[in-house]
């Protein structure tokens, strides 16, 4: 049987199958009883439905457009169906060997002249970009935009696990939705199956992860190299791992509220508790669930059971409340998930232009992370991860991104500078108080912050400035309490403790002083 054409009619979702076998005397004898034979001038026969001279009803529950002829076979009887149900199909893996290297992400129907991003790289395409292969273990963000300057972007987070040698890789198929202008899952399972089955044919055209711009047009400028010495975790080869090492499937499931193998995010996604752009949220209202984080912006950082002095202490230093929330969770949440959330909101916010995620990032750095003063002594490993990840984000922003998160929101940046001044003073006091009992992890926290302080010096940020030691503090619920910090009375900038001019070395440290990174 050699089908010559299959024609679709949108009005009745039917097909017309025209068969032109070789002319033989017994052709009409083999015709099914419900068909008619019509002889045309060329001597060939056309087989059509007796119910309609133009079409047959759609076959089974298969959607229009999902039936595909993959090969022509002459040994089939005329009444043999062109497709078989899913239960009768052999597994696609038995017909098409899946890759055993890194994961694969296919971008189906992506138009030409798009901007495509994959982790630290973004580029413009001159023709339809097919996707990526050899994606290594770890968390990855792949995003697309109709143009480099477009205001709306869509992306997917994927998490590639460590696999044994020879173990089959995962194949993700994403399709450009022309109507909604968003990157989404394929319209049907049949389309996704078809793309996976043709993987062998397109595999070589996919861009290797280590050479993500193999088929692209214009590349962005290469990342700038730092003149000064930076810690190893800030190198070009390791910075993405530093940023995403705490992002895992369970974390992404909780943030998006959906259990998936890949997680869609867009420019217009909203963070639960973000009231700063209510008008825009209503303008782009969708049925999607909001992004949810452990510490919402509209929730107090004080335990509901705290009273009296404990309530005041949590208002000044929410470490106990943060640890209680992270360590006593019933949904499998871990303390390190705070690091993952900090990375998620930064990368999603900056790469997709999602200002709701950026608001959550500012809330985390100004209200949570650098106000947890006791974290450095009680959970030094967590404090070290948070400081290093924050440092990596600032370096990544300076090295790979065109926009500057500190310049985009100057008021928040000014608040951050004051927050870091206070954190530095409290951190030094707590670490020095440990004396000879300081642990290597606690010492590493001091070194990590000293490295961050040295890098911020290039921005003109002097973290040795004064900070508020006493006054009134309004809690999240509106209650006003008197506060006074007496730990640094001897450092009060009055009388014999007034500021004095000192000499600084090339890295911004006071000449002759003892530094944690020395």
């Amino acid at each position: 049987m050699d089908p010559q054409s299959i024609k679709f009619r949108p009005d009745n979702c039917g097909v017309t199958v025209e068969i032109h076998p070789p002319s033989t005397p017994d052709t009409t004898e083999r015709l099914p009883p419900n068909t008619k034979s019509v002889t045309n001038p060329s001597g060939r026969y056309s087989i059509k439905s007796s119910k309609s001279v133009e079409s047959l009803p759609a076959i089974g529950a298969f959607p229009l457009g999902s039936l595909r002829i993959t090969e022509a076979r002459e040994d089939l009887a005329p009444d043999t169906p062109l497709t078989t149900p899913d239960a009768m199909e052999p597994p696609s893996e038995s017909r098409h060997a899946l890759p055993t290297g890194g994961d694969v992400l296919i971008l189906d129907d992506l138009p030409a002249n798009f901007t495509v991003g994959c982790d630290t790289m973004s580029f413009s395409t001159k023709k339809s970009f097919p996707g990526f292969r050899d994606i290594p273990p770890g968390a990855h963000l792949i995003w697309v935009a109709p143009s480099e300057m477009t205001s709306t972007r869509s992306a997917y987070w994927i998490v590639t696990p460590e696999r044994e040698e020879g173990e089959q890789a995962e194949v993700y198929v994403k399709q450009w939705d022309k109507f909604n202008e968003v990157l989404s899952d394929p319209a049907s399972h049949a389309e996704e199956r078809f793309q996976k089955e043709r993987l062998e044919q397109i595999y070589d055209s996919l861009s290797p992860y280590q050479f993500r711009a193999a088929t692209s047009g214009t590349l962005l400028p290469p990342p700038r190299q730092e003149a000064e010495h930076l810690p190893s975790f800030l190198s070009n080869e390791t910075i993405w791992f530093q940023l995403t090492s705490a992002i895992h499937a369970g974390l992404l499931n909780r943030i998006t509220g959906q259990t998936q193998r890949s997680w869609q995010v867009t420019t217009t996604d909203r963070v639960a508790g973000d009231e700063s752009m209510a008008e825009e949220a209503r303008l782009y209202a969708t049925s999607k669930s909001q992004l949810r984080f452990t510490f919402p912006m509209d929730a107090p950082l004080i335990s509901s059971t705290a009273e009296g002095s404990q309530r005041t202490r949590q208002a000044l230093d929410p470490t106990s409340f943060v640890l209680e929330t992270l360590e006593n969770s019933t949904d499998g949440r871990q303390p390190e998930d705070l690091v993952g959330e900090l990375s998620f909101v930064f990368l999603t916010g900056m790469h997709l232009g999602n200002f709701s995620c950026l608001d959550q990032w500012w809330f985390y750095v100004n209200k949570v992370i650098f106000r947890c003063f006791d974290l450095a002594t009680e959970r030094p490993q967590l404090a070290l991860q948070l400081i290093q990840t924050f440092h990596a984000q600032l370096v990544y922003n300076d090295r790979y991104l065109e926009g500057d998160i500190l310049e985009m929101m100057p008021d928040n940046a000014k608040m951050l500078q004051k927050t870091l001044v206070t954190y530095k003073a409290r951190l030094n006091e707590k670490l020095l108080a440990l004396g000879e009992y300081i642990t290597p992890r606690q010492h590493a926290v001091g070194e990590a912050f000293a490295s961050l302080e040295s890098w911020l010096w290039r921005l003109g940020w002097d973290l040795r400035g004064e900070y508020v030691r006493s006054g009134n503090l309004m809690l999240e619920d509106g209650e006003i309490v008197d506060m006074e910090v007496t730990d640094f009375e001897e450092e009060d900038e009055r009388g014999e403790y007034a500021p004095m001019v000192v000499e600084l070395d090339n890295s911004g440290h006071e000449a002759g002083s003892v530094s944690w990174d020395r």
Side-chain angles (χ1 to χ4, degrees):
M1 169 175 163
D2 186 15
Q4 299 299 313
S5 63
I6 297 180
K7 302 177 182 177
F8 294 93
R9 295 191 61 209
D11 54 338
N12 62 3
C13 297
V15 299
T16 297
V17 181
E18 296 185 355
I19 304 175
H20 305 291
S23 178
T24 58
D26 60 344
T27 300
T28 57
E29 297 178 1
R30 297 201 309 267
L31 297 179
N34 63 340
T35 59
K36 298 179 181 180
S37 175
V38 180
T39 304
N40 55 27
S42 62
R44 295 185 301 178
Y45 293 92
S46 176
I47 300 177
K48 297 179 179 285
S49 169
S50 60
K51 297 180 181 180
S52 171
V53 296
E54 295 184 358
S55 63
L56 292 172
I59 300 176
F62 293 97
L64 180 63
S66 65
L67 304 183
R68 301 177 184 270
I69 298 178
T70 58
E71 60 181 348
R73 295 180 56 185
E74 298 180 355
D75 58 340
L76 295 178
D79 57 350
T80 302
L82 298 178
T83 60
T84 57
D86 290 345
M88 299 175 62
E89 286 190 356
S92 59
E93 290 78 7
S94 64
R95 296 171 295 176
H96 300 272
L98 292 176
T100 57
D103 285 356
V104 172
L105 188 138
I106 299 174
L107 296 174
D108 185 29
D109 290 339
L110 190 68
N113 300 317
F114 257 52
T115 300
V116 180
C118 179
D119 297 351
T120 61
M121 176 71 74
S122 63
F123 49 89
S124 299
T125 64
K126 292 183 177 179
K127 58 183 180 179
S128 180
F129 185 74
F132 302 97
R133 59 181 171 90
D134 302 327
I135 302 176
H140 305 281
L141 179 65
I142 292 91
W143 58 270
V144 300
S147 66
E148 186 176 338
M149 302 304 295
T150 186
S151 59
T152 302
R153 297 177 176 182
S154 58
Y156 273 90
W157 279 98
I158 63 172
V159 178
T160 301
E162 293 280 355
R163 291 190 173 91
E164 300 293 335
E165 184 177 356
E167 185 179 355
Q168 288 185 344
E170 183 75 28
V171 178
Y172 302 93
V173 179
K174 303 304 172 187
Q175 190 175 45
W176 178 250
D177 184 342
K178 298 180 178 65
F179 179 78
N180 296 302
E181 294 189 341
V182 67
L183 191 65
S184 62
D185 290 322
S188 66
H189 293 296
E191 180 65 27
E192 181 177 9
R193 182 171 60 249
F194 173 74
Q195 293 296 332
K196 290 182 178 181
E197 288 176 353
R198 63 190 291 264
L199 179 60
E200 286 185 347
Q201 304 172 23
I202 67 173
Y203 188 80
D204 290 339
S205 67
L206 299 176
S207 177
Y209 177 84
Q210 298 299 338
F211 189 55
R212 280 154 278 175
T215 61
S216 66
T218 304
L219 287 173
L220 292 179
R224 300 186 298 272
Q225 298 295 328
E226 302 295 338
E228 68 272 18
H229 173 72
L230 291 175
S232 59
F233 69 87
L234 297 177
S235 68
N236 290 338
E237 293 74 19
T238 60
I239 192 170
W240 183 260
F241 175 79
Q242 175 65 39
L243 290 171
T244 60
S245 58
I247 297 178
H248 54 86
L251 175 74
L252 295 171
N253 287 337
R254 285 193 295 272
I255 291 176
T256 60
Q258 298 179 356
T259 302
Q260 304 282 353
R261 295 186 303 111
S262 58
W263 298 265
Q264 184 188 47
V265 286
T266 68
T267 301
T268 58
D269 286 344
R270 314 307 303 168
V271 173
D274 182 10
E275 303 294 341
S276 61
M277 287 182 279
E279 293 296 331
E280 183 182 351
R282 285 194 292 269
L283 179 63
Y284 295 104
T286 64
S287 59
K288 290 182 58 178
S289 59
Q290 292 178 314
L291 303 177
R292 300 186 179 277
F293 299 94
T294 303
F295 302 101
M297 287 179 278
D298 62 343
L301 296 174
I302 300 176
S303 174
S304 58
T305 60
E307 297 180 354
S309 61
Q310 182 184 10
R311 182 179 175 85
T312 302
R313 284 195 299 270
Q314 289 186 355
L316 301 175
D317 182 353
T319 300
S320 60
F321 171 74
V322 169
L323 291 178
E324 179 184 358
T325 303
L326 293 173
E327 296 178 345
N328 298 331
S329 174
T330 58
D331 58 0
R333 202 184 311 266
Q334 300 295 325
E336 293 75 18
D337 287 352
L338 180 59
V339 183
E341 292 185 7
L342 179 68
S343 292
F344 177 93
V345 293
F346 173 80
L347 294 172
T348 303
M350 291 302 293
H351 279 296
L352 304 187
N354 188 309
F355 282 89
S356 188
C357 282
L358 293 180
D359 284 341
Q360 182 71 34
W361 183 82
W362 283 112
F363 173 76
Y364 268 165
V365 297
N366 276 328
K367 301 294 185 181
V368 181
I369 295 171
F370 292 111
R371 285 188 60 227
C372 291
F373 308 117
D374 289 337
L375 201 63
T377 55
E378 296 185 14
R379 300 293 188 277
Q381 179 60 28
L382 178 58
L384 176 64
Q385 289 179 296
L386 289 169
I387 293 174
Q388 289 183 337
T389 299
F390 174 74
H391 190 179
Q393 290 173 352
L394 296 184
V395 173
Y396 183 84
N397 177 89
D398 180 70
R399 187 182 298 171
Y400 292 97
L401 303 178
E402 293 185 338
D404 190 333
I405 192 171
L406 301 179
E407 295 179 357
M408 292 165 57
M409 303 178 179
D411 291 340
N412 288 337
K414 185 176 181 180
M415 182 184 300
L416 174 61
Q417 184 176 4
K418 295 180 179 179
T419 300
L420 294 176
V421 168
T422 304
Y423 185 84
K424 168 184 166 63
R426 299 296 299 274
L427 176 65
N428 287 344
E429 186 273 339
K430 290 183 178 296
L431 294 181
L432 291 173
L434 294 173
E436 61 181 2
Y437 298 103
I438 188 172
T439 66
R441 286 293 183 189
Q442 293 167 338
H443 182 76
V445 174
E447 290 182 330
F449 191 84
S451 178
L452 170 63
E453 180 185 10
S454 179
W455 191 87
L456 287 171
W457 180 262
R458 59 184 298 207
L459 303 179
W461 287 25
D462 184 358
L463 303 187
R464 299 169 305 160
E466 62 178 285
Y467 68 98
V468 177
R469 292 171 171 82
S470 62
N472 297 327
L473 177 68
M474 179 178 290
L475 306 182
E476 285 84 349
D477 58 1
E479 181 182 354
I480 298 178
V481 298
D482 294 329
M483 58 162 287
E484 182 176 1
V485 179
T486 60
D487 298 335
F488 304 97
E489 287 181 340
E490 69 278 7
E491 296 178 13
D492 196 6
E493 298 181 350
R494 291 173 292 185
E496 63 180 310
Y497 300 109
M500 59 181 299
V501 177
V502 297
E503 181 181 357
L504 302 178
D505 58 22
N506 294 332
S507 62
H509 297 288
E510 181 178 349
S513 63
V514 177
S515 175
W516 290 107
D517 59 351
R518 295 180 180 177

